[in-house]
Amino acid sequence: MQPASELSQFAADVLHGLSARPKHLSSKYFYDDEGSRLFQEIMRLPEYYLTACEKEIFETQTEGIFAAFANCSNTFDLIELGAGDGTKTAILVSHFLKRNADITYSPIDISQEALDALSEKFTAEFPSLRMQPRRGDYFDILRSLKNGGGRRKVLLFLGSNIGNFTREQSVTFFQDLRKVMNPNDLLFIGFDLQKDPHVIVRAYDDSQGVTARFNLNLLTRINRELGGNFDLTKWTHYAIYRPTEFSARSFLISHEQHNVRIDALDRTFQFDRWEAVFMEISQKYSLSMIESLAADSGFAIKQNFFDSKNYYCDSLWQLTE
Ligand SMILES: C[S@@+](CC[C@H](N)C(=O)[O-])C[C@H]1O[C@@H](n2cnc3c(N)ncnc32)[C@H](O)[C@@H]1O
């Protein structure tokens, strides 16, 4: 077997995840071209309320968001981590440009498909917008975001992306962001709030099976990129909500005992009948959880924006001293 150091990061992470007990795969790898296309489909599903709620906040409170971002100066740089297709951000950008803001927009995403869709849309809609799309892992790109402090940076982390991190990972991530921020910079984060668990579970197990295809697509990606032989007919997508931890979790369940060979790892993995592979966590928050997360990461909440159902919160943070 190749040592992990000689494998691509993807291969190394798959090796690590499928060698663990229980087995797991990282949701960061969902977003190949097909994964990004499927995620755009998920965002249009009636059950996936998260997108509709954040869109409502942006559509109805754009002026309040603008006032908070601009803070008496119309000049700022928007940097979006995990931008996806940028559909919701376009609502903000459109308003900021109408208000004659002097802005630049730097979307960062690991998926070329997502960045292409975003760039095509933004170039057509906002020909005068200065844009610098960057493809890559935002953990790697972070350090290069440090600037001299001349222009205010507003970092965007939308779509409840943060929910896919554990609390410990969230604090480390925000502390890393803090290191590249100047005192005047801001961080704008989309949090999915706690609500009726039935509503939450439906968002991760939709009636049309799009979320199932989205999860199963990671097995197809392993087959294609790492020479795996996963047979998708042997797997089912399964989503639950753990009300004591306020988190949705998704799994792929193996229907039968079988082996899967992955050539790039020179390994065969055995899956038992009904064995689960953990795929993704989607944490749901209360306001006190958001407050303590901000405090533990070195931030203070400047302003919160809620949708009319109080399902979702976009929280604007500033650095503490
Ligand atoms: C849940 S989607 C949210 C998209 C967008 N922010 C929205 O609200 O619609 C997550 C996005 O983050 C990207 N992504 C996930 N992990 C990433 C990483 N480590 N670095 C850069 N982009 C990442 C994915 O490709 C995907 O487009």
Side-chain angles (χ1 to χ4, degrees):
M1 190 181 82
Q2 263 176 302
S5 57
E6 289 175 21
L7 300 171
S8 68
Q9 191 61 47
F10 180 35
D13 288 346
V14 169
L15 175 61
H16 173 72
L18 295 186
S19 306
R21 287 279 179 278
K23 296 185 177 84
H24 58 86
L25 290 168
S26 167
S27 57
K28 160 174 148 183
Y29 296 109
F30 279 156
Y31 299 94
D32 64 351
D33 286 357
E34 178 63 2
S36 282
R37 200 197 56 70
L38 284 167
F39 187 72
Q40 286 166 36
E41 220 177 295
I42 288 173
M43 289 196 296
R44 291 192 292 270
L45 291 170
E47 292 102 326
Y48 198 73
Y49 59 85
L50 293 84
T51 307
C53 292
E54 193 161 55
K55 190 161 175 265
E56 182 204 306
I57 292 172
F58 290 2
E59 277 170 348
T60 58
Q61 299 176 63
T62 348
E63 185 52 28
I65 295 170
F66 176 62
F69 283 10
N71 203 15
C72 307
S73 146
N74 270 8
T75 304
F76 53 93
D77 295 330
L78 287 172
I79 301 170
E80 181 160 10
L81 308 167
D85 70 358
T87 305
K88 286 169 295 173
T89 313
I91 300 167
L92 299 180
V93 166
S94 167
H95 183 81
F96 297 167
L97 291 175
K98 277 190 201 122
R99 299 285 266 105
N100 289 321
D102 170 12
I103 57 170
T104 67
Y105 177 47
S106 305
I108 299 169
D109 205 288
I110 210 163
S111 156
Q112 190 62 51
E113 159 81 16
L115 274 187
D116 288 347
L118 181 151
S119 300
E120 194 181 323
K121 178 181 167 66
F122 276 63
T123 313
E125 266 186 55
F126 315 116
S128 65
L129 177 68
R130 291 192 303 281
M131 257 179 67
Q132 198 191 8
R134 294 173 71 177
R135 181 183 177 212
D137 190 323
Y138 40 63
F139 295 107
D140 299 334
I141 293 179
L142 266 186
R143 276 176 298 281
S144 66
L145 299 180
K146 184 138 189 79
N147 67 358
R151 287 170 67 95
R152 159 176 278 186
K153 290 194 291 295
V154 182
L155 304 181
L156 309 175
F157 196 48
L158 307 177
S160 189
N161 244 334
I162 191 61
N164 303 140
F165 295 3
T166 63
R167 190 179 195 282
E168 198 183 343
Q169 289 169 335
S170 305
V171 170
T172 307
F173 179 65
F174 290 138
Q175 285 173 341
D176 285 347
L177 286 184
R178 205 178 186 284
K179 289 181 198 141
V180 300
M181 291 173 70
N182 297 310
N184 204 26
D185 292 344
L186 297 169
L187 176 57
F188 194 49
I189 311 152
F191 288 98
D192 193 20
L193 299 177
Q194 292 161 12
K195 60 185 68 61
D196 181 346
H198 299 96
V199 174
I200 295 173
V201 171
R202 280 197 291 273
Y204 297 95
D205 195 11
D206 65 279
S207 54
Q208 295 170 47
V210 187
T211 322
R213 292 207 294 284
F214 178 66
N215 276 265
L216 287 163
N217 178 60
L218 183 43
L219 303 187
T220 307
R221 180 175 186 183
I222 294 173
N223 285 349
R224 187 183 59 247
E225 295 185 20
L226 302 179
N229 69 349
F230 277 104
D231 174 352
L232 270 57
T233 63
K234 293 189 164 69
W235 294 90
T236 306
H237 163 74
Y238 181 62
I240 56 156
Y241 180 69
R242 286 192 187 164
T244 49
E245 294 167 14
F246 307 104
S247 66
R249 282 163 193 260
S250 56
F251 303 86
L252 288 178
I253 310 275
S254 162
H255 302 173
E256 56 185 84
Q257 186 179 27
H258 69 292
N259 291 335
V260 174
R261 163 93 192 153
I262 301 181
D263 287 340
L265 305 179
D266 196 18
R267 277 279 296 269
T268 298
F269 298 91
Q270 190 190 315
F271 296 92
D272 291 332
R273 190 163 190 233
W274 304 127
E275 182 172 351
V277 178
F278 172 53
M279 304 296 281
E280 187 175 53
I281 180 171
S282 300
Q283 184 67 47
K284 308 300 162 193
Y285 299 84
S286 63
L287 278 187
S288 60
M289 281 167 73
I290 297 174
E291 275 159 19
S292 86
L293 190 55
D296 291 351
S297 313
F299 288 89
I301 297 175
K302 181 175 158 74
Q303 199 171 339
N304 284 327
F305 300 86
F306 300 94
D307 65 303
S308 54
K309 290 198 210 124
N310 274 323
Y311 271 13
Y312 197 92
C313 170
D314 281 295
S315 190
L316 186 62
W317 292 6
Q318 59 196 5
L319 299 184
T320 48
E321 294 301 306

